[in-house]
Amino acid sequence: MIEVSHLSKHYGDFIAVEDLSFKLVPGEILGFLGPNGAGKSTTMKMLTGYLRPTSGEVRIWGNDVWSETLAAQSHIGYLPEGAPAYEEMTPLGFLKFIAKARGLSGEARDQAVSKAAATMSLEGVLHQKIETLSKGFKRRVGMAQAILHDPDVLILDEPTDGLDPNQKHEVRQMIKGLSEEKIVIVSTHILEEVTAVCNRVMVLAGGSIVSDGAPEALLALSRHHGAVTLELPDISDALVSSLDSIEGVSALEREDDRVTLIPGEGITDFFARVMSFVREQDVQVNAAFVEQGRLEDVFRKLTEGETQ
Amino acid sequence: MNISVVLKRELAGYFATPVAYVFIFIFLVLAGVFTFYVGNFFERQQADLVPFFSFHPWLYLFLIPAISMRLWSEERKSGTLELLMTLPLSRWDIVLGKFLAAWLFAGMALLLTFPIWITVNFLGEPDNGVIFASYLGSWLMAGGFLAIGSCMSALTRSQVVAFVLCGFVTLMFVMAGFPLVLDVVRGWLPLSVVDMVASLSFLTHFNAISRGVLSLNDFLYFVSMILAWLAATSIVLDVKKGG
């Protein structure tokens, strides 16, 4: 359980994070979303006990991060931004060092190391110096050290940044595959990642929370939520304006041979209305689907004007 | 012990790169040059290591910053500082562990000068008690230099800046008993403060040691110097974390 109350971080006049309060319970995978400079990393640094908050407090399973730092930190596995590691070491040496620093020794240490290495598929590079590894492997070394002690809380700062699509997929699968007893906090500015892995999304802008809820709730904020998109092979201006005149359409967007019809407020049978029009007028349609909503819309709507 | 976890990793880090070997090689060459050519070891015709030890402050002046500059700057730059500080290790575990690794490394380099000790024993009958005390004193002084260097390294993410800062501050401490420094403070500070500044000189404390007199006074001076600068390191790390 993580309790954050009235957490703020100021650098002189600059406000990095302002009055954050939230609670997380086991099973929650929280996505921190926000433009660069929104305070995502700063918040994570305060949660992990690296930065001292200007005011407010963080409790990890009841341990105050500033007065009971070591107890709180032992609950946390943390991947800092950029996955830093001691480059002159091998992954094996590095993971052993982390295990020892986490208080593991002997058999338990070796088991933890080999389990973490196996989870992140590092077996093939265990004896190479980290500085010689590719970016993807370095990131995996960073992930392995974070999950090594089977922490209750996993805090990952941009875990998929700079990875190729396959590696991104692997990391997401890994996060989703974690036990339900854990709390995961992932920061990202990749929107698709949020719907792919998280069950709760917090949007930060200018150091404050501007939205907090399930990814679906976030999507529902999009003006495209419930919109109907048609792919029309014989698109013409006449057809477009006749589509625009369907009852209930509040706006229409046209892009190449695609037309997106946005419903007016409170209309529940929008897809049926559009489809019956299509049938009646015998319009040629290659594809038709209902949009979930576009995160980009929501992201811009929530964060624009908040950043400097 | 958590200190030993940090210490072992750090010490192994020296030998994982050429840094350690280059440093030890240069240290031994320069120690030899100073002793035999500048210090006239043979011409003096005395069975002692005074010419060897008396150059140590000057040798440390530019070699110790080369060890200490990477202590924190490198970690800050590569981001591993954040990793280290979010492991369940106390601040003292980290500060002391890293310092001790550097100090042990300096001690190793110092011990490798043993051929000079063999030479002097081969040529004459020196007082080995004096030599032992001088070695100990020299190592203590190296600790003082390193603790200052640790603090300077914590101040910046640039190793070059850390090197220059450490060189400057240690030079001030070496020269504290000399007109170079005293003339600057004498004009505007009361005499008691001037005396205090003079008493902080590395050279004054080390001169007694290099003659084999390791008094409690000098011993405490270097130990408190080390502890004070390590405490300062810890404070700097706390204040400068924001970056």
Side-chain angles (χ1 to χ4, degrees), chain A residues 51-122:
Chain A
L51 278 185
R52 187 193 288 272
T54 308
S55 60
E57 63 165 24
V58 178
R59 286 181 174 276
I60 312 274
W61 259 268
N63 298 304
D64 182 88
V65 169
W66 270 104
S67 57
E68 300 149 295
T69 312
L70 301 191
Q73 285 177 336
S74 61
H75 282 288
I76 304 173
Y78 178 39
L79 174 75
E81 196 175 357
Y86 292 104
E87 302 253 313
E88 80 280 359
M89 299 179 94
T90 63
L92 185 64
F94 178 62
L95 293 178
K96 276 189 176 167
F97 162 69
I98 299 287
K100 280 189 258 177
R102 294 259 178 215
L104 297 168
S105 61
E107 191 81 346
R109 184 194 72 196
D110 294 342
Q111 265 175 17
V113 168
S114 54
K115 189 169 172 233
T119 310
M120 296 316 301
S121 315
L122 287 169

Side-chain angles (χ1 to χ4, degrees), chain A residues 133-155:
Chain A
L133 298 179
S134 69
K135 204 170 177 182
F137 270 119
K138 281 184 191 171
R139 191 62 48 128
R140 286 196 237 169
V141 171
M143 292 287 287
Q145 69 70 31
I147 61 170
L148 186 89
H149 56 297
D150 197 23
D152 301 318
V153 181
L154 200 54
I155 299 182

Side-chain angles (χ1 to χ4, degrees), chain A residues 19-241:
Chain A
D19 199 26
L20 291 195
S21 296
F22 59 88
K23 265 185 196 169
L24 288 169
V25 295
E28 284 193 293
I29 302 179
L30 173 72
F32 260 149
L33 205 60
N36 293 327
K40 293 173 296 194
S41 289
T42 307
T43 305
M44 290 185 146
K45 286 178 171 137
M46 289 193 281
L47 294 184
T48 53
Y50 179 64
L51 278 185
R52 187 193 288 272
T54 308
S55 60
E57 63 165 24
V58 178
R59 286 181 174 276
I60 312 274
W61 259 268
N63 298 304
D64 182 88
V65 169
W66 270 104
S67 57
E68 300 149 295
T69 312
L70 301 191
Q73 285 177 336
S74 61
H75 282 288
I76 304 173
Y78 178 39
L79 174 75
E81 196 175 357
Y86 292 104
E87 302 253 313
E88 80 280 359
M89 299 179 94
T90 63
L92 185 64
F94 178 62
L95 293 178
K96 276 189 176 167
F97 162 69
I98 299 287
K100 280 189 258 177
R102 294 259 178 215
L104 297 168
S105 61
E107 191 81 346
R109 184 194 72 196
D110 294 342
Q111 265 175 17
V113 168
S114 54
K115 189 169 172 233
T119 310
M120 296 316 301
S121 315
L122 287 169
E123 292 99 332
V125 297
L126 278 179
H127 300 283
Q128 281 182 34
K129 282 193 176 185
I130 295 175
E131 63 193 355
T132 66
L133 298 179
S134 69
K135 204 170 177 182
F137 270 119
K138 281 184 191 171
R139 191 62 48 128
R140 286 196 237 169
V141 171
M143 292 287 287
Q145 69 70 31
I147 61 170
L148 186 89
H149 56 297
D150 197 23
D152 301 318
V153 181
L154 200 54
I155 299 182
L156 309 170
D157 200 348
E158 306 205 343
T160 59
D161 187 37
L163 297 186
D164 69 35
N166 294 338
Q167 294 165 334
K168 278 184 190 170
H169 178 73
E170 278 173 35
V171 169
R172 287 173 196 164
Q173 289 307 110
M174 204 281 304
I175 294 170
K176 278 206 268 185
L178 289 169
S179 144
E180 300 218 327
E181 267 87 76
K182 296 189 191 309
I183 296 174
V184 184
I185 304 176
V186 186
S187 84
T188 181
H189 52 245
I190 306 168
L191 301 171
E192 57 190 88
E193 200 149 280
V194 164
T195 40
V197 281
C198 304
N199 52 29
R200 180 172 170 187
V201 184
M202 204 175 274
V203 183
L204 294 182
S208 309
I209 301 173
V210 292
S211 158
D212 179 6
E216 297 77 30
L218 196 65
L219 284 171
L221 293 175
S222 166
R223 62 193 290 260
H224 289 96
H225 178 69
V228 176
T229 295
L230 302 172
E231 235 179 82
L232 306 160
D234 304 319
I235 194 162
S236 67
D237 288 346
L239 175 59
V240 169
S241 62

Side-chain angles (χ1 to χ4, degrees), chain A residues 274-306:
Chain A
V274 173
M275 290 323 286
S276 67
F277 175 85
V278 164
R279 267 193 303 277
E280 280 162 22
Q281 305 291 318
D282 202 18
V283 181
Q284 276 281 56
V285 176
N286 278 356
F289 56 89
V290 180
E291 297 222 18
Q292 297 276 295
R294 295 183 189 170
L295 269 179
E296 276 169 52
D297 287 352
V298 182
F299 186 77
R300 270 205 302 278
K301 194 159 93 187
L302 290 172
T303 61
E304 232 156 47
E306 298 269 0

Side-chain angles (χ1 to χ4, degrees), chain B residues 190-210:
Chain B
L191 196 64
S192 57
V193 178
V194 176
D195 283 347
M196 204 186 75
V197 170
S199 74
L200 283 177
S201 172
F202 272 24
L203 222 47
T204 320
H205 288 275
F206 185 68
N207 273 341
I209 292 172
S210 70

